[in-house]
Amino acid sequence: MKIHEYQAKELFQKYGVPTPRGKAAFAVDEAKAIAKELGTLPVVVKAQIHAGGRGKGGGVKIAKTEAEVEQYANQILGMTLVTHQTGPEGRLVKRLLVEEGLPIEKELYLSLLPDRDTASIVIMASEAGGMDIEEVAEATPEKIIKVFVNPLLGFQAYEARQLAYGLNMEPEVVKAFIPMINKLYKLTVEYDCSLVEINPLVILSDKRVVALDAKVTFDDNAMYRHKDIQAYRDLEEEDPFEVEASKYNINYIKLPGGNIGNMVNGAGLAMATMDVIQLAGGQPANFLDVGGGASAEQVENGLRIILSDSAVKGVLINIFGGILRCDILATGVVQAAKNVEIKVPLIIRMEGTNVDQGRKILEESGLKITVAKDLADAAQKVSAVAKA
Amino acid sequence: MSIWVDNNTKLVVQGITGREGQFHTLQCKAYGTNVVAGVTPGKAGQNVEGIPVFNTVAQAVKEAGANASMVFVPPPFCADAILESIDAEIPLIVAITEGIPVMDMMKVKNYLKGSKSRLIGPNCPGIITPGQAKIGIMPGPIHKPGPVGIVSRSGTLTYEAVYQIMRFGVGQSTCVGIGGDPVNGTNFIDCLSAFQNDPETKAIIMVGEIGGSAEEEAADFIKQNVTKPVVGFVAGATAPPGRRMGHAGAIISGSSGTAQGKMAAMKAAGIAVVENLGLLGDVAQEVFKDVI
C-alpha cells in the first residue's frame, strides 16, 4: 500500500526522525495559512500524489514571498501532473504539502527495504542524493553503499557506522545520523514497510540531518496489524475499477490500452493468459485472478467489472479447476449473464475438477459462449475477436 | 524414485481442524498419503476422521512419528507454526498459506539456515509424487507417475504443465510448487539439483514468473550442473512494471525481474524456452523425445 509524502513524514515524526516543519493543505487558503503559521520564507509547495518525479513535472515550487505561496498553490492544486511514473494521462493533484525551506549543505540518498534474495533488510545509501537511484546504480554502482541486516539479530551499531563513514560524514553529522538510522530501521520493521526511501536526505549548514523527502510503502500482507496505516489509504489515487474489485476480494489490475478482458484462476496462469492474448494479436485489458476459493458471486462480480470497461472487445475466461471447481465457475458465468448484459464475445476454456459438469451447465444455459478445447485453441479464438 | 515425498512420508497437518485444512487433509489421505497426525493447539484428543489431533508438533512427532508437515495455519500465525515445525526437526515442511507478511518470512528463512528442515512454500500448491503421496492442494487425478520433474512458482501453471504433457501420455516423477512469495524456502536450484540427482527423473520443466532473480540464478545453475533436458516458461511478459501481479513476489522493480530478461538468461543456458503457454506440451514432447 502506498501513502502520501506528508503521511510518511507524520510517521517519521512519530519515530523522532527529523523532517522539515510543514502541513498538508487541501485548498489555497489553507496553504496560505500554513505558510503564515510556519513564519518563515521561503516555503516549499509540493504536490501530493502517489507517484515520483513530481519536481520535474512542475509539482514542486519554492515560494519566496507570501504572494508566491498563493500563486503556486493555485497553480499546483487541480493541475494534472504528468511524471514518468503516472503515465501520459497524469494524476489530478488534490493535496499539497507546505513546508519550510531549509539551508541545504549536502544531499544524500537513503533507503531501507526487505531484500528477497538474502532475506535481510537492506539499507542503501549514497552521496549521490537527489538523483534517480536506478541511474546511479547503473552508471556508478561504487557510489552506493549497501548494508544487509539480519532480521533475527536486528540492526547493529557497526552497521550504522559502516553507513555513516561510508557516506564520509563529519563527526557532528555522524552524531545526528546514527540515532536517526536506528529509528528508521525500527519503523521499517515495526510497520512492515516494503520501502522507506528518503531522497534526498539532507545535511543542513548547522549540521542537522533532515528527511527532505519521504516515500513509504507497506506490505499488503501485513496490513491486518496496522489499522492506523489503513486510515491513510487514499482511494482517489487508485483506479476505480480496482477499488471496486477489492470490495469483492478479487485480485484485479487494470492495464492501459487493452481490448481483451480475461478472468483466470491463479496468478501465474493469469499472467500467462495475458501473454497468450498478446501473442494472439490482442492486448490484455486487465489482470484478474479469481483465486482458488472463488464463489459464483465473485465470478459474477469479476465479469461485471471486466465488462464495465468499454474498451473490452471480447473476454477470455481460462480456468484450471483445482480447488475452484469448473461447475462453480460455470454457475457464476451463467448468473452473471442473467444480471449483466454481455454484448461482446465470451470465450471459455475450462479444465480440471468437475469440468464435465461445468461444460454441461454452460451448454444448457443457452448463452452464446464459445468453448475452447485447450489454450492454443482459445488463443486462435481470441485472435479472431481481436482482429474483428 | 522421486524427490522428498514418497511412500515413506508420514504427514502431520498443522491447522487440521480448519475448513481448508480438514478438506485438503482428507484429499491427501484419499490420494494415498499416510496422514498420521494433525495439530491444533487446544484440541488434543480429538480426531479428524480417525486422524489423531495433538496440541503441538513435537507431540505429533513423538507419538505418531511424523516426518513431514503441511501447514494450513492462517497468515497471522503461520510463521510461528513453521518455526514450531523447524524446532521439532521435521525434515520436510510444506506451507500452503498465502498472505504471510514478508518480515515474518525473513525471520523464518534465517532460522531455517543450519536447521534440519526443508521448507517448501509458502503460498504454494505443495508437492506431489504421483502414485505415492501428495502434500498439498493440487488435484491428484490429473497426474500419473512418469519421468518428468516439474518445478514452478505458480499453482495453476503447474497443473497446466502437467495437463499438457499428459496429453502425450507423459507422467511426472515429482512436481514441486515453490510458491509465489518473495521470500520462500526451497528455490529452483534446490529442486533442479534434486531432479538432476534423481535417477527416475529424465527431464525437467521449470515454470517461472516475473519478479526477483531466481530464474536467472537457476539458469546459471543449469548451465553448470544439469545434464538432463530442461523446458522453461516464464509468465508475465505483458505485466506492467511496479505492479504486484497477484503473487506478492511477482513484481518488476525498475528494470529488473522482467520476463524478457529471465527468458533470455534461460535461453543462454540452453533451456528450451516456450513463449506461448499453449505450446508447452508440444515443445516438451519434442525436446524430451530422446530421453523419455
Side-chain angles (χ1 to χ4, degrees):
Chain A
M1 192 189 117
K2 292 179 178 176
I3 60 172
H4 288 293
E5 176 196 358
Y6 76 90
Q7 295 165 330
K9 284 179 171 168
E10 282 174 19
L11 205 54
F12 280 9
Q13 285 149 18
K14 189 175 160 182
Y15 277 78
V17 174
T19 63
R21 291 183 301 125
K23 254 188 192 165
F26 297 77
V28 177
D29 285 347
E30 222 178 325
K32 279 163 63 186
I34 293 164
K36 194 162 254 170
E37 202 184 306
L38 288 171
T40 177
L41 284 167
V43 299
V44 187
V45 183
K46 303 178 90 174
Q48 298 293 289
I49 57 167
H50 286 182
R54 292 167 296 163
K56 281 182 200 154
V60 179
K61 298 277 182 196
I62 298 169
K64 293 179 207 74
T65 63
E66 277 186 40
E68 278 186 355
V69 174
E70 181 169 1
Q71 183 196 333
Y72 292 141
N74 243 321
Q75 224 174 67
I76 298 172
L77 263 182
M79 84 184 279
T80 302
L81 186 52
V82 180
T83 81
H84 67 286
Q85 286 184 4
T86 60
E89 70 279 10
R91 205 71 69 75
L92 185 65
V93 181
K94 293 180 176 171
R95 306 178 187 199
L96 296 173
L97 172 61
V98 181
E99 58 184 22
E100 60 177 341
L102 294 168
I104 298 164
E105 195 176 83
K106 189 174 176 182
E107 297 192 1
L108 307 168
Y109 172 90
L110 183 69
S111 67
L112 303 91
L113 67 153
D115 178 56
R116 55 197 293 168
D117 295 329
T118 57
S120 57
I121 290 155
V122 59
I123 305 181
M124 283 197 280
S126 175
E127 288 185 86
M131 293 164 65
D132 182 344
I133 199 66
E134 285 235 346
E135 283 169 24
V136 177
E138 194 135 310
T140 49
E142 71 281 359
K143 285 190 181 159
I144 298 176
I145 312 159
K146 287 186 188 179
V147 168
F148 295 88
V149 184
N150 182 326
L152 291 179
L153 287 174
F155 189 47
Q156 302 297 306
Y158 79 89
E159 291 169 327
R161 292 196 300 274
Q162 269 177 8
L163 290 165
Y165 295 122
L167 291 167
N168 292 311
M169 286 176 168
E170 301 164 55
E172 286 174 84
V173 179
V174 172
K175 262 188 222 161
F177 176 76
I178 299 255
M180 174 189 206
I181 187 72
N182 272 285
K183 288 167 187 164
L184 285 167
Y185 179 83
K186 197 161 181 267
L187 185 162
T188 304
V189 172
E190 287 180 351
Y191 270 100
D192 289 282
C193 299
S194 45
L195 176 69
V196 172
E197 183 176 53
I198 306 173
N199 192 17
L201 176 74
V202 295
I203 300 171
L204 302 182
S205 47
D206 63 3
K207 308 302 170 195
R208 280 190 296 145
V209 183
V210 176
L212 203 64
D213 196 12
K215 182 180 177 186
V216 177
T217 62
F218 302 91
D219 177 3
D220 290 333
N221 285 350
M223 291 318 291
Y224 70 87
R225 55 189 179 202
H226 304 296
K227 301 274 184 266
D228 54 337
I229 299 299
Q230 286 176 31
Y232 278 151
R233 187 170 171 196
D234 182 357
L235 292 177
E236 290 181 348
E237 287 285 331
E238 297 176 28
D239 181 273
F241 289 116
E242 292 177 18
V243 173
E244 176 75 4
S246 70
K247 286 184 200 157
Y248 306 106
N249 279 322
I250 296 169
N251 218 328
Y252 171 92
I253 293 172
K254 172 107 181 69
L255 300 177
N259 57 11
I260 304 290
N262 60 93
M263 176 155 65
V264 187
N265 68 325
L269 191 58
M271 280 186 274
T273 303
M274 286 162 43
D275 300 347
V276 164
I277 289 170
Q278 190 174 55
L279 290 166
Q283 276 299 323
N286 64 278
F287 165 93
L288 196 160
D289 171 14
V290 281
S295 63
E297 283 68 33
Q298 275 174 304
V299 171
E300 180 187 336
N301 284 312
L303 200 52
R304 190 170 51 71
I305 290 162
I306 292 172
L307 290 168
S308 59
D309 179 352
S310 58
V312 167
K313 284 165 67 180
V315 179
L316 170 61
I317 299 179
N318 184 18
I319 301 294
F320 204 109
I323 320 174
L324 172 62
R325 299 177 348 229
C326 293
D327 54 324
I328 301 250
L329 181 269
T331 307
V333 171
V334 173
Q335 203 172 299
K338 279 184 194 142
N339 300 331
V340 195
E341 200 187 348
I342 303 179
K343 290 183 199 150
V344 299
L346 199 59
I347 301 157
I348 301 189
R349 182 271 177 149
M350 276 192 309
E351 206 49 65
T353 314
N354 293 359
V355 65
D356 294 334
Q357 282 122 289
R359 289 199 177 129
K360 195 159 167 249
I361 291 167
L362 292 179
E363 273 164 28
E364 289 173 357
S365 69
L367 290 171
K368 269 175 81 182
I369 292 170
T370 311
V371 177
K373 68 173 169 35
D374 58 28
L375 203 47
D377 184 33
Q380 274 183 1
K381 293 186 155 84
V382 164
S383 178
V385 171
K387 284 168 189 156
Chain B
M1 271 283 286
S2 55
I3 65 169
W4 302 325
V5 176
D6 55 31
N7 288 327
N8 301 315
T9 300
K10 290 181 178 176
L11 187 67
V12 53
V13 180
Q14 293 177 262
I16 192 170
T17 53
R19 192 170 59 96
E20 296 286 316
Q22 181 160 351
F23 176 78
H24 289 289
T25 299
L26 298 176
Q27 294 282 311
C28 289
K29 197 178 167 190
Y31 191 76
T33 311
N34 184 11
V35 185
V36 298
V39 168
T40 299
K43 295 198 173 169
Q46 297 185 9
N47 73 80
V48 171
E49 305 222 353
I51 302 163
V53 178
F54 298 91
N55 279 332
T56 66
V57 175
Q59 280 171 328
V61 172
K62 195 172 161 224
E63 310 279 331
N67 60 15
S69 87
M70 174 164 74
V71 188
F72 271 101
V73 173
F77 318 106
C78 194
D80 177 68
I82 298 170
L83 293 173
E84 185 184 356
S85 266
I86 300 172
D87 198 55
E89 302 190 345
I90 294 264
L92 181 70
I93 306 164
V94 181
I96 307 299
T97 307
E98 173 172 9
I100 305 175
V102 174
M103 290 292 172
D104 293 5
M105 270 315 298
M106 293 208 303
K107 287 182 186 159
V108 169
K109 179 92 179 174
N110 281 284
Y111 193 62
L112 266 174
K113 287 176 195 160
S115 78
K116 297 198 166 117
S117 303
R118 159 177 305 287
L119 172 67
I120 294 176
N123 189 12
C124 79
I127 174 169
I128 182 168
T129 293
Q132 296 193 45
K134 77 158 188 163
I135 303 180
I137 58 176
M138 65 289 280
I142 65 167
H143 303 79
K144 76 166 193 184
V148 177
I150 301 181
V151 55
S152 166
R153 275 169 73 185
S154 148
T156 41
L157 269 183
T158 320
Y159 314 160
E160 181 73 39
V162 168
Y163 169 78
Q164 290 202 24
I165 60 170
M166 286 289 276
R167 285 192 327 200
F168 295 97
V170 178
Q172 309 84 44
S173 54
T174 299
C175 305
V176 193
I178 58 174
D181 272 6
V183 178
N184 59 6
T186 296
N187 62 20
F188 279 122
I189 294 175
D190 299 324
C191 297
L192 291 165
S193 165
F195 282 139
Q196 172 67 20
N197 293 329
D198 172 34
E200 296 298 315
T201 300
K202 307 291 184 200
I204 301 164
I205 295 177
M206 168 185 159
V207 181
E209 63 189 33
I210 55 162
S213 56
E215 289 80 2
E216 288 87 335
E217 285 151 26
D220 203 38
F221 178 84
I222 288 169
K223 202 174 177 180
Q224 311 287 337
N225 304 290
V226 178
T227 55
K228 298 175 182 179
V230 183
V231 167
F233 175 79
V234 180
T238 52
R243 301 297 309 263
R244 262 170 224 290
M245 306 302 285
H247 285 157
I251 181 166
I252 298 169
S253 327
S255 54
S256 74
T258 65
Q260 289 75 6
K262 289 171 187 295
M263 287 194 263
M266 287 160 68
K267 279 180 194 161
I271 300 168
V273 177
V274 184
E275 286 184 22
N276 189 334
L277 180 63
L279 303 176
L280 180 67
D282 302 79
V283 173
Q285 173 70 4
E286 179 60 26
V287 173
F288 296 165
K289 68 176 187 294
D290 295 336
V291 293
I292 60 175

